[in-house]
């Protein structure tokens, strides 16, 4: 197989042009791919800047050799992701980082005499907003933040009931949305930093306008604490639990579960009073009254009517005794005070769809398992239905993410460009290798042309070439010819002379 140098030497002008075009195209495509891969990514460092601040910041970054770009029509500044720390240090050294976005409590370092209470309230609000923004900006994954607070006017309103409750709005800068745990932490931090501010009154929005807090199903104020959200959370939990159980036993794509529940999200309080069966004496009092005397009294009729007389035989004596006993018993009693947390299930309805491939003999066992797993109670109105239908056989493929697709596209383009380059180069080299040479050397044609032995001897006897192309010919016209035999005999007898003649022919070309 010929080497590369030989193949390149046989390329025609057209082949060289095509090979050069393919090479240039491949280099351009490879350069563009490398530029796309190695393009620096910029992170938003500051937002809400004024033109004067932007000019000072860019000058400070240029002095430190830090790459940057202006965003949002010059009101935001972004730096390369790997130079964020250096940029912050450079701006802090120039005294531009503290007052870049919103000032903090440093506003109180410069106070003016004669400020009104309204001015002091506005200054405090600006300082609190700036301090919160700077604190949020230090959280990992947050490139910038802007905080707006609505605080009640404590001077204009006397009664606390008539005051407007405080609220807060937070705008997070950055290309991507932060994690849910980070957003929840920011909401609690802002609510804890402002007196009287509740978590439900905090609104967090992303740079693309997406509402991040209050989040659906968060369970902390707003939409997350509604009855609908509680029902949806319970439905999703039961769907996942029952679906995982059926997928583990029947296999994937064999069952679909849908749960609809009615959750009681009201918090109730109950009290119960219970008395003991036996009492314990606490206090006891006894009152005894006695009277002794004869039957005839001196008090007259009134006295006789007031005091009863008892006749004891013939003597007429009387004996009276009255006894009263009072006992106060203490009864054992138990008072139970209980608070029932919200979240009890009032009713639930479960629907299970099974594929036709599931045997019918397994339906009773599936019904019993689902009933026990979900806690279905027919007395409170719970229902469960199990049906069989033919599921579709659509292929379940996990879609690749956008970043993965871009990476695959870059690799594919690079591979296609390499294959096209090798294909065109190999094709033209092989075509050139198989092509015939249009012009053969003159001395090769003369060797194949017949010549007389006398002319050959005469030319060599003169010591110089005879001169014409017609006098030089090939030394053979066919195997077994007389001329060939004569030439071979001459070459065997005088090899030096024949070699000299051949060298003379070759020098003329």
């Amino acid at each position: 197989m010929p080497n590369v140098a030989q193949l390149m030497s046989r390329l025609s002008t057209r082949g060289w042009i095509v090979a050069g075009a393919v090479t240039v195209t491949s280099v351009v495509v490879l350069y563009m791919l490398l530029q796309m891969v190695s393009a620096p990514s910029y992170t938003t460092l500051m937002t809400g800047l004024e033109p004067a601040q932007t000019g000072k910041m860019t000058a400070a970054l240029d002095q430190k050799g830090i790459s940057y770009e202006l965003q949002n029509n010059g009101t935001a500044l972004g730096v390369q992701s790997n130079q964020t720390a250096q940029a912050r240090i450079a701006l802090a050294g120039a005294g531009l980082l503290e007052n870049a976005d919103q000032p903090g409590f440093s506003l109180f370092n410069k106070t003016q005499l004669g400020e009104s209470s309204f001015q002091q309230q506005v200054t405090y609000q600006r300082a609190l907003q700036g301090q919160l923004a700077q604190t949020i900006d230090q959280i990992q994954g947050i490139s910038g933040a802007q905080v707006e607070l609505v605080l009640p006017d404590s001077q204009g309103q006397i009664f606390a009931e008539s005051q407007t409750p405080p609220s807060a709005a937070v705008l997070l800068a950055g290309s991507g949305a932060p994690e849910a745990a980070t957003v929840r932490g920011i909401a609690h931090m802002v609510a804890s930093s402002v007196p009287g501010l509740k978590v439900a009154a905090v609104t967090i929005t992303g740079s693309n306008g997406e509402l991040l807090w209050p989040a659906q199903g968060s369970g902390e104020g707003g939409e997350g604490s509604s009855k609908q959200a509680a029902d949806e959370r319970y439905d999703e939990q039961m769907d996942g639990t029952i679906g995982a159980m059926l997928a583990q036993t029947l296999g994937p794509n064999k069952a679909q579960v849908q749960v609809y529940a009615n959750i009681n999200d009201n918090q109730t309080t109950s009290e119960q009073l219970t008395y003991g069966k036996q009492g314990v004496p606490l206090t006891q009092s006894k009152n005894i009254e006695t009277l002794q005397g004869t039957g005839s009294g001196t008090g007259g009729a009134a006295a006789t009517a007031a005091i009863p007389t008892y006749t004891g035989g013939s003597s007429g004596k009387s004996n009276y005794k009255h006894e009263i006993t009072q006992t106060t018993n203490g009864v054992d009693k138990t008072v139970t005070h209980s608070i029932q947390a919200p979240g009890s299930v009032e009713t639930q309805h479960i629907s299970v769809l099974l594929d036709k491939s599931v045997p019918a003999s397994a339906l009773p066992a599936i019904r019993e398992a689902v009933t026990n797993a979900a806690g279905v109670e027919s007395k409170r109105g719970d229902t469960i239905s199990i049906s069989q239908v033919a599921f579709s056989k659509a292929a379940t493929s996990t879609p690749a993410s956008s970043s993965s697709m871009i990476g695959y596209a870059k690799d594919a383009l690079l591979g296609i460009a390499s294959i096209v380059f090798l294909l065109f180069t190999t094709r033209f080299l092989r075509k050139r290798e198989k092509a015939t040479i249009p012009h053969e050397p003159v001395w090769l044609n003369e060797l194949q042309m017949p010549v007389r032995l006398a002319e050959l001897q005469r030319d060599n006897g003169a010591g110089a070439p005879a001169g014409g192309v017609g006098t030089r010919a090939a030394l053979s016209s066919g195997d077994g010819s007389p001329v060939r035999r004569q030439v071979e005999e001459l070459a065997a007898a005088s090899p030096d002379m024949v070699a000299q003649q051949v060298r003379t022919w070759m020098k003329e070309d």
Side-chain angles (χ1 to χ4, degrees), residues 307-427:
I307 302 174
T309 60
Y310 299 90
T311 303
S314 61
S315 61
K317 294 180 179 182
S318 63
N319 187 7
Y320 171 76
K321 183 179 181 181
H322 180 68
E323 182 178 350
I324 299 175
T325 302
Q326 294 181 352
T327 302
T328 303
N329 294 326
V331 181
D332 293 339
K333 63 179 180 180
T334 303
V335 179
T336 304
H337 180 80
S338 61
I339 299 176
Q340 297 180 359
S344 61
V345 180
E346 295 182 348
T347 57
Q348 60 177 343
H349 308 279
I350 302 175
S351 176
V352 180
L353 291 179
L354 302 177
D355 191 19
K356 283 290 186 181
S357 60
V358 178
S361 59
L363 296 183
I366 294 175
R367 176 182 292 272
E368 183 178 0
V370 173
T371 301
N372 296 332
V376 176
E377 298 180 5
S378 58
K379 294 182 179 180
R380 67 183 180 188
D382 297 351
T383 60
I384 179 173
S385 63
I386 298 180
S387 306
Q388 280 188 298
V389 294
F391 286 6
S392 61
K393 302 299 181 182
T396 58
S397 59
T398 304
S401 60
S402 58
S403 59
S404 300
M405 294 296 294
I406 294 176
Y408 295 154
K410 292 178 181 179
D411 297 338
L413 289 176
L414 182 60
I416 291 173
S418 303
I419 293 174
V420 170
F421 172 73
L422 295 176
L423 180 63
F424 276 94
T425 304
T426 305
R427 177 182 176 184

Side-chain angles (χ1 to χ4, degrees), residues 491-502:
S494 303
D496 297 337
M497 181 175 60
V498 176
Q500 180 65 30
Q501 182 62 32
V502 172

Side-chain angles (χ1 to χ4, degrees), residues 13-301:
T13 304
R14 180 181 177 184
W16 277 107
I17 294 174
V18 174
V22 172
T23 303
V24 172
T25 304
S26 302
V27 171
V28 171
V29 172
L30 182 60
Y31 176 76
M32 293 177 64
L33 291 176
L34 292 177
Q35 287 293 326
M36 293 175 60
V37 173
S38 61
S41 60
Y42 289 89
T43 302
T44 303
L45 184 64
M46 295 294 173
T47 58
L49 300 177
E50 297 180 357
Q53 293 178 337
T54 304
K56 295 179 181 179
M57 290 182 179
T58 54
L61 295 178
D62 288 335
Q63 186 178 3
K64 298 296 183 179
I66 299 175
S67 302
Y68 63 88
E69 68 173 3
L70 298 178
Q71 302 173 350
N72 198 14
N73 296 327
T75 60
L77 182 64
V79 297
Q80 292 188 10
S81 301
N82 57 350
Q83 295 182 337
T84 304
Q86 293 85 340
R88 290 182 181 276
I89 295 174
L91 295 178
L96 300 174
L97 184 60
E98 182 178 1
N99 299 326
D101 192 2
Q102 296 189 58
F105 284 102
S106 59
L107 288 174
F108 291 98
N109 295 336
K110 299 178 181 180
T111 58
Q112 298 179 359
L113 296 176
E115 286 186 354
S116 63
S117 59
F118 176 76
Q119 291 176 341
Q120 293 178 356
Q121 180 71 16
V122 172
T123 304
Y124 171 73
Q125 182 173 345
R126 289 184 57 199
L128 187 57
Q129 291 177 169
Q131 194 68 28
L132 287 174
Q134 295 177 14
T135 305
I136 296 173
D137 194 18
Q138 297 176 4
I139 300 176
Q140 184 177 4
I142 305 299
S143 58
Q146 186 172 356
V147 181
E148 297 292 339
L149 299 176
V150 178
L151 301 179
D153 186 6
S154 58
Q155 301 292 333
Q157 297 177 351
I158 301 176
F159 300 101
E161 292 79 3
S162 60
Q163 292 183 357
T164 304
S167 61
V170 181
L171 177 63
L172 301 180
S175 57
E179 299 180 356
T182 304
V183 175
R184 188 184 306 108
I186 293 174
H188 282 271
M189 184 193 66
V190 174
S192 302
S193 302
V194 180
L197 179 60
K198 298 181 179 180
V199 180
V202 179
T203 303
I204 301 178
T205 309
S207 58
N208 55 356
E210 180 185 2
L211 181 63
L212 304 179
W213 184 270
Q216 178 68 24
S218 62
E220 299 184 62
E223 300 176 0
S225 61
S226 63
K227 184 178 183 303
Q228 182 180 1
D231 294 344
E232 291 178 356
R233 289 197 302 271
Y234 181 82
D235 295 345
E236 293 178 358
Q237 181 181 1
M238 295 307 301
D239 290 346
T241 302
I242 300 176
M245 180 185 66
L246 296 178
Q248 186 70 21
T249 55
L250 303 178
N253 301 325
K254 295 293 184 180
Q256 292 292 333
V257 182
Q258 188 68 34
V259 178
Y260 173 75
N262 185 14
I263 304 298
N264 183 9
D265 61 342
N266 297 325
Q267 183 175 348
T268 59
T269 303
S270 62
E271 293 184 358
Q272 184 179 4
L273 178 60
T274 305
Y275 290 95
K277 296 182 179 180
Q278 296 181 354
V280 178
L282 298 180
T283 60
Q284 186 177 13
S285 62
K286 183 179 292 186
N287 187 9
I288 301 174
E289 182 180 359
T290 59
L291 177 64
Q292 294 180 357
T294 60
S296 60
T298 60

